[in-house]
Amino acid sequence: MSTRKSKVKLLKNMPGVVRASIDPFLVRATNNPERIMFILHRVTGVIIVLYLFLHIYVTSNTIDSARWNSLMEQFGASIVNKIGEFIVAGAVIFHGLNGIRLLLVEFFGVGIGKPEHPKPPYIAPSLRAAQRKAIYIVAVLSVVGWIIAGILIFTGYLELPL
Amino acid sequence: MIIMARSSRLNIWQYITAILLILVLGFHLAERIPGLSPLGVESYEESLEAHKVETAYNKYSIILSILLITALFHGLNGLRGILLEYRQTSNWTLLVNIIIIVLFLGFLAFGFRTIYIHIASP
Amino acid sequence: MVARSKFQELLAATRQPPKEVTIRVKRYDPETGKVWYQDYKVKTFRGMTILDALLQIKEKIDHTIVMRYSCRMGVCGSCGVVVNKKPSLACQTQIAAVASEDKPIVVVEPLYNFPIIRDLVADFGDFFNKHRAIKPYIIRKDPDEVEKGEREFIMDPHDLHEIYEYSLCIMCGLCYSACPVSAGDPLYLGPQALAQAYRFIADVRDEGYEERIKIVDTEHGCHRCHFAATCSAVCPKMVDPASAIQRLRKIVFMKTLGFWKKKKITQIAGPLKEPLRQIEAKYAVENILEGVDPEEQAKREEKIDLEL
Ligand code: HEM
Ligand code: SF4
Ligand code: SF4
Ligand code: FES
């Protein structure tokens, strides 16, 4: 689609992909948690790719056992690293769970309801369908999973630090 | 010209790799969890000790290889999608495609090198 | 929980709006390239819409403000603007729903993701071109079936129900304005065009699905959608483009894998077995105007004075 040729100077009014991908308040539509999920999915996806690069590089040190052990010791001593690990863990948990939902919706085309004849209060079927319930399930499971991951990462064990 | 070939051939793999990732990434993460870990670890730190990692590389090298390929493809193709939404000129599209392919092949080779060295040395 | 906010939004419209509201309009002057926000104080009445307010401003306060509208009743789809960051039809959004006594201010901006011609008027050229690009008409292997149009296609109510929702689109562009992908990618076909692509691919009368699938199966077609579903959340006609795109993408993927075949394509209706029953129509002669023959009256030339 080429932009039309015309003498009028048009104002470009696009917020751009960066803002659209991180600003949940760019458009304030009611009844739209899907958009928040989209933003989180994208942000967590990018976090995980960047981590993956680092991870492939760091794990190449495992070929030398002594160096790997000392590296892990150094690594575990820093709280900043632990927090970073915690964030990546949360990102993976959310991205994976929401990914299952997106897989069902985008690839298998399920959970988006059936076409309907519009009637008041005119809420689109896909915003009421199973995928919406899946959003709440994903949100709850992500928080629970993240807390468990936090306990594991910060204490080293799967027991409540009482 | 911007390449307007049938892009489902590529994008379908985004979802196929996602299905695979649920399995292999799930396994990879479970290795770290005491009680669940196939490595039989007692704590998170223990799962990262050199001899446990060594076992993981030798015993589960196939799973690790699948994880490497799928995660790299899935992540980079996702990144490519975001970058294609950023600019649409043909030069940019070409640049993105080249960078993504180079990163994919580069990290793939580097990751396989690590796996190979582990299998080769008993 | 979230759905309730929608009800509250609808309920708010039944209330009395604040006596006076400030309409803050984002303006653009194409000659100087200046962009600014301008405040207008407007006296309200019960049931007043954003479009009413804008027209009042144009009539009484500032003649230079420009907007687009036509039907004033949510049918033509030309009055789309962004009200308090939500793409809405100006004629379907009541002041009472978007402003309150505590916050008697409404921000009106031109539609996002469209080039702006002036003030609130967006350029729909590319948007319509994208709609054209997906071939929004019935395509038959034998074009004469449509072009000559001697007889109708068979379509049962169930087939109609499958696409009815999607066929209600009024091309207002709100979905396009709300979509986070259109916000960055001007080549993205957009929710409106993709939903219409699905609407025609799913139509049992259509045989042009192969070419249409080729058109949407590109890097800037259906694969760019990430199901943020804001399109469905803002659509004033409950078209639900988000679901149409997911169904479309499923078809595209399954076709690539070789699993998809169009289930049903209907044929043109056969010739009638018996001729239609003819009913003789007559004007009701009694009871209208005493002594006037309607047949006579219909023939009489009406003289309308057009000179004002
Ligand atoms: C548990 C496994 C995973 C599942 C089920 C999953 C699922 C998905 C799905 C379905 C999408 C497509 C979303 C869309 O385009 O609308 C996606 C996108 C993406 N994924 Fe994953 N994913 C997983 C793991 C990963 C990993 C390990 C990485 C990083 C290496 C990753 C990085 C990305 C990125 C960068 C995107 C693009 C995001 C966007 O365009 O908004 N994912 N994922
Ligand atoms: S799908 Fe809805 S929001 Fe989009 S153009 Fe059509 S009527 Fe407007
Ligand atoms: S569902 Fe797709 S088309 Fe609709 S707003 Fe989201 S990304 Fe855009
Ligand atoms: S003026 Fe026609 S839809 Fe608002």
Side-chain angles (χ1 to χ4, degrees), chain C residues 177-221:
Chain C
S177 171
C179 176
V181 181
S182 301
D185 184 353
L187 293 185
Y188 177 49
L189 282 173
Q192 190 273 340
L194 289 172
Q196 292 314 302
Y198 174 74
R199 175 244 174 280
F200 281 97
I201 288 171
D203 193 315
V204 288
R205 298 164 296 178
D206 184 73
E207 287 179 327
Y209 49 91
E210 297 263 358
E211 38 189 306
R212 234 176 256 116
I213 286 176
K214 278 205 190 93
I215 294 161
V216 297
D217 186 8
T218 67
E219 275 313 341
H220 300 280

Side-chain angles (χ1 to χ4, degrees), chain A residues 21 38-39 41-53 92-93 95-104 106-107, chain B residues 11 14-15 17-23 25-26 29 67 70-82 85, chain C residues 223-228 249:
Chain A
S21 309
F38 154 70
I39 290 175
H41 196 83
R42 182 160 270 194
V43 170
T44 53
V46 173
I47 291 175
I48 310 168
V49 191
L50 298 181
Y51 174 79
L52 179 67
F53 294 161
V92 172
I93 291 167
H95 191 97
L97 289 172
N98 192 47
I100 296 172
R101 166 181 156 264
L102 286 179
L103 207 63
L104 291 172
E106 295 182 347
F107 189 75
Chain B
N11 282 296
Q14 184 74 3
Y15 297 89
T17 52
I19 298 171
L20 289 171
L21 273 170
I22 297 170
L23 304 173
L25 187 61
L29 295 178
L67 178 60
T70 49
L72 263 178
F73 178 89
H74 181 94
L76 284 170
N77 189 45
L79 211 58
R80 175 174 169 273
I82 300 172
E85 279 166 38
Chain C
H223 301 299
R224 279 282 73 75
C225 168
H226 304 287
F227 196 62
R249 176 156 38 190

Side-chain angles (χ1 to χ4, degrees), chain C residues 3 10 39 43 66 114 117-118 136 173 184 188 202 237 271 308:
Chain C
L10 293 171
D39 285 4
K43 291 243 173 333
V66 182
F114 286 88
I117 298 172
R118 179 175 174 158
Y188 177 49
K237 291 281 147 188
L308 295 168

